[in-house]
Amino acid sequence: MTDDPIQGLRDALQVSPDNVPLRVHLAKTLAGLGRLEEAEQEYRDALSREPQDTAIKLALAGVYRLQQKSSQAMVIVENICRVDNAPPAALVLYARLLLNEGDVRGAVAQYKLALEVDPAAADETLGQELGVSPHAGGDNEENEVFEGRVRQSWQAPSSGFEAELERPKISFADVGGMEALKEEIRLKILYPLQHPEMYAAYGKTIGGGILMYGPPGCGKTWLARATAGEIGAGFISVGISDVLDMWTGQSERNLRDLFQQARANQPCVLFFDEADALGARRSDMNSGSARQLINQFLSEMDGVDHSNEGVLVLAATNAPWHIDPAFRRPGRFDRVLFVPPPDLPGRAEILQLQLRNKPQAAIDYVSLAKRMEGYSGADLKAVVDQAIEGKLREAMKTGQPQPLTNKDLITAAKALRPSTTEWFSTARNYAVYSNQGGLYDDVLKYLKL
Ligand code: ATP
């Protein structure tokens, strides 16, 4: 026998693993000691043996909440509270979770319901936070006033994460090449916003986002920004690593705040860069909390609690192979588009755009573009920048500004290598060996494989 009570309980369970009350007792003891992960495991085990047991479900939800796994807790509690005679303890927990999410009104409603069923369920701290006392009647004014005050004082600390809202001045005309991508964006997200009635007439559902992938510097961000500019919408660009936080509960809140900000400023393009970071970070976090963050993202995208009307979601990644397949379901990122390095006409157009309004002699854009196969938009920009620097240096010496020539650009291009090669050597492996459902067909086509 052992002196350790936990070990004693575990030993006993070894002998009779089906003893659910004993397992629940162990889980409760573990939770009391703050050993939440182990408690969760035992509650889940108990639940697999007694799947209908509401008390165990509720206890598991409580442990989830303490672990900051609010979405998981919410799923359980919502299910319990769906029935008419939900236990008051479940309603109180529901109220807590709603308050956490910023839904003060909903929290007050659930808490009042709990008190109606059983005044003894009152939770002093929660009651104070919500401005609801156990003796207050239904909808008296005092409560509403309190509620207003609570709402205000609660909202201030919640908005910890606020992204910058831009009003881009560029439009599709400033994006060289990418014709097929522009058309896809028009059809999928711009037209539905501008002509909802037309889409409704054909029974086409609106929603979902576009995920762009490809080598760095090929204009994913530029195109996203131009999408917003094209229709005069707001633009919020965030790197997923900005949203991620070592404290996962906070990351979920960040995501929620972000979607709220976009909804409040619609029409708005919400652009997620480094979308793969959601998956890539999985190894850093324990997988439960990573999944929870992904779930939060997906439920925001699905518009579960709030309509996403007027919010266009675009995302970009250089590493699509790290993205959770759940992102690609209908209504989410159901269009996954390859953004290749610009083709010949695209390169010529980008060079032309980059040289717009700069002093120049007759430049043969097509012949230049022919020399720059594999160059990304960013590479082309770098070529132009470098050529201009050379010209400036000369002008400083001679005191005479000279126009840019073909030769200047060729010299600059020779000094720079295309930056997309490395990406393709990785992408090639994924495209050849794990081309899930033809996801990378466009990469194969580009590589002529
Ligand atoms: P990353 O994957 O590294 O985030 P990205 O694909 O998002 O790269 P951008 O940041 O959009 O690439 O492109 C870099 C710069 O290159 C842009 O700021 C823009 O100046 C220029 N550029 C890229 N593509 C184009 C294009 N098609 N037309 C005009 N400019 C372009």
Side-chain angles (χ1 to χ4, degrees):
M1 281 300 277
T2 165
D3 287 343
D4 176 0
I6 298 289
Q7 197 50 50
L9 289 169
R10 287 200 196 284
D11 290 344
L13 278 168
Q14 278 276 326
V15 183
S16 50
D18 286 333
N19 187 336
V20 173
L22 186 60
R23 198 172 288 280
V24 169
H25 179 57
L26 168 62
K28 213 175 191 170
T29 313
L30 286 165
L33 293 170
R35 291 161 67 171
L36 299 176
E37 262 180 48
E38 291 166 81
E40 176 194 328
Q41 189 53 48
E42 296 306 333
Y43 276 130
R44 287 202 338 207
D45 194 318
L47 208 52
S48 69
R49 293 163 205 274
E50 290 286 354
Q52 302 306 328
D53 192 314
T54 307
I56 303 177
K57 284 186 199 169
L58 195 55
L60 176 60
V63 168
Y64 277 145
R65 188 181 79 83
L66 292 173
Q67 291 174 290
Q68 319 284 348
K69 297 180 178 177
S70 338
S71 318
Q72 272 122 313
M74 191 60 122
V75 170
I76 298 178
V77 172
E78 270 177 347
N79 259 316
I80 299 177
C81 294
R82 203 164 281 156
V83 295
D84 279 345
N85 53 350
L91 295 167
V92 171
L93 184 52
Y94 195 12
R96 272 204 175 288
L97 292 167
L98 288 169
L99 177 62
N100 245 343
E101 285 199 339
D103 181 359
V104 182
R105 214 164 278 279
V108 168
Q110 294 304 326
Y111 187 59
K112 281 183 181 170
L113 205 59
L115 294 186
E116 263 172 43
V117 180
D118 180 8
D123 176 315
E124 202 184 329
T125 327
L126 181 62
Q128 269 175 5
E129 276 179 78
L130 293 174
V132 179
S133 80
H135 311 295
D139 286 326
N140 72 27
E141 243 183 90
E142 197 191 346
N143 260 341
E144 291 308 317
V145 172
F146 246 114
E147 217 175 298
R149 184 172 68 83
V150 170
R151 174 178 286 269
Q152 277 188 347
S153 66
W154 194 86
Q155 269 189 352
S158 90
S159 54
F161 188 83
E162 202 167 315
E164 196 185 331
L165 178 79
E166 291 175 44
R167 295 272 161 201
K169 295 276 177 292
I170 58 164
S171 68
F172 281 173
D174 300 283
V175 180
M178 298 186 144
E179 294 312 325
L181 282 162
K182 289 179 196 166
E183 192 51 24
E184 191 75 29
I185 290 178
R186 278 193 195 100
L187 265 179
K188 177 84 202 296
I189 60 179
L190 294 187
Y191 293 159
L193 188 71
Q194 292 164 323
H195 310 285
E197 70 297 336
M198 205 87 91
Y199 278 68
Y202 286 103
K204 278 295 272 182
T205 48
I206 300 176
I210 293 182
L211 172 67
M212 299 179 278
Y213 75 94
C218 286
K220 299 182 285 295
T221 310
W222 191 247
L223 182 63
R225 190 170 270 119
T227 302
E230 186 73 12
I231 51 162
F235 182 70
I236 298 179
S237 166
V238 275
I240 286 289
S241 53
D242 298 338
V243 174
L244 285 171
D245 201 289
M246 284 320 285
W247 185 30
T248 320
Q250 186 61 37
S251 298
E252 285 176 58
R253 184 168 290 179
N254 288 347
L255 266 181
R256 211 163 40 223
D257 288 353
L258 207 57
F259 271 87
Q260 282 295 28
Q261 209 185 330
R263 288 178 195 118
N265 289 288
Q266 54 121 325
C268 185
V269 172
L270 187 50
F271 175 65
F272 292 99
D273 206 354
E274 323 156 40
D276 52 280
L278 265 180
R281 288 288 183 104
R282 234 200 274 206
S283 51
D284 298 353
M285 304 191 263
N286 74 57
S287 64
S289 48
R291 168 117 329 258
Q292 187 192 348
L293 189 64
I294 290 173
N295 286 346
Q296 174 72 31
F297 189 97
L298 296 178
S299 90
E300 292 293 344
M301 263 213 90
D302 290 346
V304 174
D305 297 323
H306 311 272
S307 157
N308 282 338
E309 215 180 301
V311 178
L312 314 179
V313 187
L314 291 174
T317 174
N318 298 330
W321 29 85
H322 288 145
I323 293 204
D324 194 298
F327 281 88
R328 300 201 299 267
R329 292 212 201 101
R332 295 170 181 172
F333 293 106
D334 42 15
R335 291 281 204 299
V336 181
L337 303 177
F338 174 46
V339 182
D343 59 6
L344 179 63
R347 291 197 296 278
E349 209 181 325
I350 294 171
L351 285 170
Q352 213 161 351
L353 284 167
Q354 296 292 349
L355 286 163
R356 201 168 36 179
N357 307 326
K358 311 251 160 56
Q360 52 186 278
I363 284 178
D364 183 349
Y365 290 104
V366 176
S367 84
L368 277 177
K370 276 188 186 150
R371 292 171 171 266
M372 299 188 207
E373 170 115 39
Y375 282 61
S376 68
D379 293 340
L380 296 172
K381 184 172 186 292
V383 167
V384 172
D385 286 347
Q386 192 144 325
I388 290 174
E389 269 173 36
K391 258 351 229 190
L392 269 176
R393 224 171 297 144
E394 253 177 57
M396 291 299 144
K397 272 192 215 142
T398 61
Q400 282 292 319
Q402 295 293 327
L404 276 161
T405 63
N406 252 1
K407 193 159 163 271
D408 296 325
L409 290 156
I410 293 171
T411 313
K414 277 187 186 152
L416 288 162
R417 297 273 115 232
S419 64
T420 59
T421 327
E422 199 184 322
W423 187 86
F424 277 108
S425 66
T426 310
R428 187 181 186 282
N429 284 334
Y430 283 98
V432 173
Y433 300 111
S434 62
N435 188 10
Q436 312 145 18
L439 189 61
Y440 305 123
D441 281 355
D442 287 337
V443 175
L444 291 174
K445 211 157 104 193
Y446 182 86
L447 291 171
K448 303 196 175 73
L449 291 171

